[in-house]
């Protein structure tokens, strides 16, 4: 799915959030990564296969 010079991590990998943001809607609180992951700023993420992941701790 990724067409960047250095491939972004796939949606199934532990570092999936290191992928490049292709669409960002900060007013709505979400971003789409090039690996198909939807990241929500306060409620975790949704993977391309529909699985939802809880937010991880910050700090």
């Amino acid at each position: 799915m990724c067409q960047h010079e250095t491939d972004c991590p796939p949606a199934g990998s532990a570092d999936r959030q290191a992928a490049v943001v292709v669409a960002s809607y900060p007013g709505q609180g979400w971003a789409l990564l090039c690996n198909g992951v939807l990241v929500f700023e306060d409620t975790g993420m949704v993977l391309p296969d529909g699985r939802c992941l809880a937010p991880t701790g910050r700090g």
Side-chain angles (χ1 to χ4, degrees):
M1 185 172 207
C2 178
Q3 297 180 9
H4 297 102
E5 184 68 31
T6 303
D7 290 345
C8 290
S13 70
D15 60 347
R16 65 182 64 81
Q17 285 186 269
V20 173
V21 174
V22 295
S24 179
Y25 295 89
Q28 296 177 1
W30 65 273
L32 174 64
L33 305 181
C34 73
N35 57 7
V37 175
L38 281 172
V39 179
F40 297 93
E41 73 180 33
D42 62 349
T43 58
M45 63 187 83
V46 178
L47 301 182
D49 65 5
R51 287 184 293 150
C52 296
L53 301 178
T56 57
R58 295 182 185 174

